[in-house]
Amino acid sequence: MKTFEGFMTGVNLGGWISQFRSLSKEHFDTFIVEDDIKQIASWGMDHVRLPIDYIVIEDDKEPFVYKEEGFAYVDQCIKWCEKYNLNIILDLHRAAGYSFNSLSDNKLFEDEVLQKRYVSLWQAFARRYKEYGNNLVFELLNEIVEPNSDRWNKLSRRAVEAIREVDVDRTIIIGGNHYNSVNTLNELEVIEDDNLVYTFHFYEPHILSHQKASWEPLLKDLEFDVPYPSGPDVYEKYQAKSQEFRDTYTFAETVDKEYLRNYLQPALDFAKERNVPVYCGEFGIIENVPMESNINWHSDLIDLLIENNIGRAVWTYKLMNFPMVDRESKVRNEELIKVISRK
């Protein structure tokens, strides 16, 4: 299996210039600072994944006009990463007309103007960062959710071709449909390009990783705890839930390392069949889960990723319900940091 060199152990910077609490200079200037990048490097990480919302770079009232003050935050993060020997992925987390958390409002895949804005924005990134080497990588779009992969295959190919018009050497990451599921990687069309990496996200089982999440209607009032590992007693409670619950979330009588291995298998098969590198761009456990289960799950999943030479970036560094550190950037749990930083 091909390896995504230089991107083996990392962390997401969610909540900074993506999914931010306020579109304000005060937030952007303080949420992530140089000391945060220094701390991440001190953990032994080799990269960060930087989620970016298009609105930081481009205003809807002035399409195709890019904001220098928005690009400046990306520039600054790149410079900090260079200073502390970290590589960086620029992840377009939200595009004009598309976000994974506003599915009913998305128009990107049916609106040619929005698609042109999307492609043009990637060319702007390509032009701005053309002189950088393989320390900087582009990720086309976060967590596609479409009825099937057809429209995403067309648009992602357009984006790759547009970037290649400017930069023939930049590594580009493409994710599959249905929130970067491992099960949709094989729906991605083959693009004849030797510098592509394919990404998936891993939050399985979802009733563990997102238990009692306030934004999940079927989980926010879950009346039982889901530890890791778990056995028949928890499965019985799962089975006693509604048909809608069981149709929405998969679970098993025994949830342990072998369960995770089996869930990961489609990504391994895809990498072998296509002879391409795969990358786990997000994984994590919500802070509602007791730390023992949190650490156990991370430890088993990371064992499997290391075993298969798959790079990864944990979700996420600060706050955002899946934190490694608190609001003041203080580490929540030292053992968890040791686990997620393993090589």
Side-chain angles (χ1 to χ4, degrees):
M1 184 186 297
K2 289 186 176 180
T3 301
F4 188 18
E5 295 291 346
F7 295 84
M8 297 308 293
T9 174
V11 63
N12 280 271
L13 299 179
W16 181 24
I17 53 177
S18 174
Q19 295 178 267
F20 32 78
R21 62 177 184 266
S22 65
L23 183 63
S24 69
K25 187 175 186 300
E26 186 277 333
H27 167 77
F28 296 146
D29 287 347
T30 61
F31 189 79
I32 297 292
V33 298
E34 181 176 346
D35 280 348
D36 292 302
I37 303 303
K38 181 179 180 180
Q39 175 164 251
I40 291 167
S42 77
W43 296 344
M45 299 289 191
D46 63 13
H47 76 283
V48 299
R49 179 176 181 255
L50 177 63
I52 304 166
D53 283 359
Y54 81 98
I55 199 68
V56 175
I57 307 294
E58 179 191 19
D59 198 300
D60 287 324
K61 295 178 181 178
E62 294 187 274
F64 304 101
V65 177
Y66 306 118
K67 297 186 281 189
E68 189 62 30
E69 64 270 25
F71 267 125
Y73 293 107
V74 181
D75 294 348
Q76 184 64 80
C77 191
I78 293 170
K79 290 176 183 175
W80 288 335
C81 286
E82 286 183 319
K83 182 175 180 179
Y84 296 103
N85 298 311
L86 293 173
N87 298 321
I88 185 168
I89 295 168
L90 305 187
D91 152 51
L92 189 59
H93 216 67
R94 179 185 171 207
Y98 185 81
S99 176
F100 70 95
N101 58 3
S102 61
L103 300 183
S104 62
D105 299 325
N106 291 338
K107 303 295 182 185
L108 174 63
F109 292 101
E110 58 200 54
D111 187 317
E112 177 59 22
V113 173
L114 289 172
Q115 291 180 32
K116 286 180 178 177
R117 285 178 64 184
Y118 169 75
V119 171
S120 177
L121 180 58
W122 271 119
Q123 283 198 314
F125 275 106
R127 285 191 295 269
R128 190 177 188 94
Y129 301 115
K130 184 177 180 180
E131 302 310 313
Y132 284 84
N134 57 12
N135 61 307
L136 189 149
V137 168
F138 294 161
E139 182 175 339
L140 292 184
L141 191 56
N142 182 69
E143 294 193 346
I144 301 302
V145 184
E146 277 275 278
N148 59 57
S149 298
D150 293 349
R151 297 195 297 186
W152 174 230
N153 278 325
K154 292 178 182 178
L155 186 57
S156 60
R157 182 182 291 274
R158 279 179 66 180
V160 170
E161 289 172 352
I163 292 168
R164 290 291 177 248
E165 288 177 9
V166 179
D167 187 340
V168 297
D169 297 321
R170 181 72 46 210
T171 299
I172 300 171
I173 298 176
I174 305 175
N177 194 13
H178 201 251
Y179 303 97
N180 287 145
S181 169
V182 296
N183 297 309
T184 60
L185 284 168
N186 62 358
E187 297 175 13
L188 293 172
E189 289 181 352
V190 174
I191 299 176
E192 297 299 332
D193 190 308
D194 291 334
N195 209 5
L196 301 179
V197 173
Y198 295 86
T199 186
F200 63 91
H201 293 177
F202 199 102
Y203 291 100
E204 300 303 332
H206 202 81
I207 68 168
L208 164 67
S209 69
H210 284 67
Q211 64 185 288
K212 301 178 182 175
S214 61
W215 62 91
E216 295 262 359
L218 297 179
L219 289 180
K220 64 180 182 179
D221 298 316
L222 191 66
E223 61 277 8
F224 59 91
D225 294 329
V226 184
Y228 181 87
S230 70
D233 56 330
V234 180
Y235 186 65
E236 287 178 11
K237 296 172 183 176
Y238 163 82
Q239 288 285 68
K241 296 289 286 181
S242 67
Q243 185 66 49
E244 179 187 14
F245 188 91
R246 297 194 303 275
D247 288 345
T248 304
Y249 305 115
T250 57
F251 203 58
E253 188 167 356
T254 301
V255 174
D256 56 9
K257 193 172 186 177
E258 286 310 302
Y259 176 94
L260 301 186
R261 187 191 303 276
N262 290 334
Y263 219 100
L264 184 64
Q265 192 61 46
L268 306 181
D269 294 341
F270 173 84
K272 183 177 181 180
E273 290 164 7
R274 299 274 186 104
N275 190 31
V276 293
V278 292
Y279 168 75
C280 184
E282 290 185 20
F283 63 98
I285 292 285
I286 198 167
E287 60 190 336
N288 300 336
V289 175
M291 189 55 69
E292 181 180 5
S293 288
N294 191 320
I295 291 172
N296 288 342
W297 182 89
H298 278 95
S299 182
D300 279 357
L301 178 59
I302 289 170
D303 276 351
L304 295 171
L305 297 175
I306 291 173
E307 176 185 318
N308 290 283
N309 294 313
I310 297 174
R312 83 269 179 178
V314 70
W315 185 268
T316 188
Y317 175 69
K318 178 184 281 190
L319 304 182
M320 300 295 290
N321 303 106
F322 292 73
M324 299 298 110
V325 304
D326 64 15
R327 190 176 298 277
E328 284 71 45
S329 298
K330 182 179 179 182
V331 169
R332 287 178 62 219
N333 183 280
E334 293 289 351
E335 182 61 28
L336 180 59
I337 299 302
K338 290 178 183 177
V339 168
I340 65 165
S341 302
R342 282 193 297 120
K343 296 179 179 177

